[in-house]
Amino acid sequence: MNSMDKLACIDLEGVLVPELWPAIAVRTGIRDLFATTREIPDYDALMRQRIVLLRQHGVTLSDLQRILKAIKPFNGALAFLQVLEAKGYRVNIISDCFHELADPLLHLLGGPTTLCHRLTVDDEGFVSGCDYYPRKGKEEHVDKALAQGQQVVAVGDAFNDINMLRQASQGFLLNPSISTLSAAPDVRAVESLEEILELIG
């Protein structure tokens, strides 16, 4: 197979980089920002909660961006993507993150093709809403690739990744929470990116 026939759909947070919102929670002291899709499967409800909390505590988008400057990709994340590409995979980051928060990290990962959301901001600089990437779910990307005869490897770690992983030719759940693991006992759970590279051959 050439690179037109092989696609890797990779989640970002919890797979290639640390979860961004828990990092924000630590720096701001806003305890409820620790919640992620590992705990709250309804992503839109989760984001509405986050937006309210940020405004209540006076945290603007520029504040968030300053906080996240200290975040770096996981050790081995860039090498993982490079090995996938060397194996002939086109890499797509399929994430429910936001460009305004994640772009510096994506740059450190070599600037892979990324399909994620954008934040809207009001005149005071507060996050006011979400401009979601037009998809029903991450699995939509996998479905389209499979329909074109491509082999698809998918990697994720949370509730919002499960359908994508189930649809893929090979799907891997990386270090999932107990609740995520119990929701997807049929998906292969792995402990490291290196293990994934070994399993795909």
Side-chain angles (χ1 to χ4, degrees):
M1 284 191 172
N2 61 40
S3 60
M4 293 300 292
D5 302 317
K6 297 165 71 175
L7 176 67
C9 294
I10 313 295
D11 183 30
L12 184 66
E13 295 178 69
V15 174
L16 301 174
V17 307
E19 293 281 355
L20 301 186
W21 288 97
I24 292 167
V26 169
R27 288 290 301 276
T28 61
I30 306 172
R31 186 171 182 81
D32 287 340
L33 288 178
F34 276 105
T36 70
T37 49
R38 286 169 173 253
E39 293 80 32
I40 303 176
D42 185 335
Y43 189 71
D44 188 49
L46 178 62
M47 281 307 304
R48 289 197 303 270
Q49 174 179 296
R50 288 168 171 168
I51 289 168
V52 169
L53 288 166
L54 293 174
R55 183 175 290 274
Q56 285 177 345
H57 291 83
V59 180
T60 65
L61 175 60
S62 60
D63 293 329
L64 298 178
Q65 292 170 329
R66 279 194 294 272
I67 288 169
L68 294 176
K69 282 183 180 179
I71 303 296
K72 297 292 183 287
F74 290 137
N75 288 337
L78 175 59
F80 172 71
L81 299 183
Q82 290 172 334
V83 172
L84 284 175
E85 290 176 344
K87 288 177 177 289
Y89 286 90
R90 287 186 301 112
V91 173
N92 282 356
I93 304 300
I94 312 294
S95 175
D96 279 330
C97 69
F98 296 87
H99 278 289
E100 291 78 9
L101 303 180
D103 277 355
L105 286 161
L106 293 165
H107 177 73
L108 294 175
L109 289 168
T113 299
T114 303
L115 309 175
C116 68
H117 313 305
R118 292 194 176 276
L119 294 169
T120 57
V121 182
D122 66 18
D123 292 340
E124 298 175 280
F126 289 103
V127 176
S128 57
C130 306
D131 183 10
Y132 290 114
Y133 190 92
R135 60 176 171 235
K136 294 178 182 176
K138 295 184 179 186
E139 64 274 15
E140 212 172 84
H141 302 284
V142 175
D143 289 340
K144 289 177 181 177
L146 292 174
Q148 294 168 2
Q150 297 180 57
Q151 176 184 327
V152 182
V153 166
V155 184
D157 74 313
F159 283 107
N160 61 333
D161 300 312
I162 290 173
N163 288 337
M164 174 177 75
L165 304 182
R166 284 180 172 146
Q167 290 291 96
S169 312
Q170 290 179 281
F172 301 98
L173 200 50
L174 180 65
N175 292 320
S177 66
I178 293 173
S179 55
T180 302
L181 187 60
S182 64
D186 54 314
V187 178
R188 177 119 190 202
V190 294
E191 296 181 358
S192 69
L193 296 173
E194 291 78 10
E195 186 178 351
I196 294 168
L197 293 176
E198 292 173 5
L199 289 169
I200 65 175

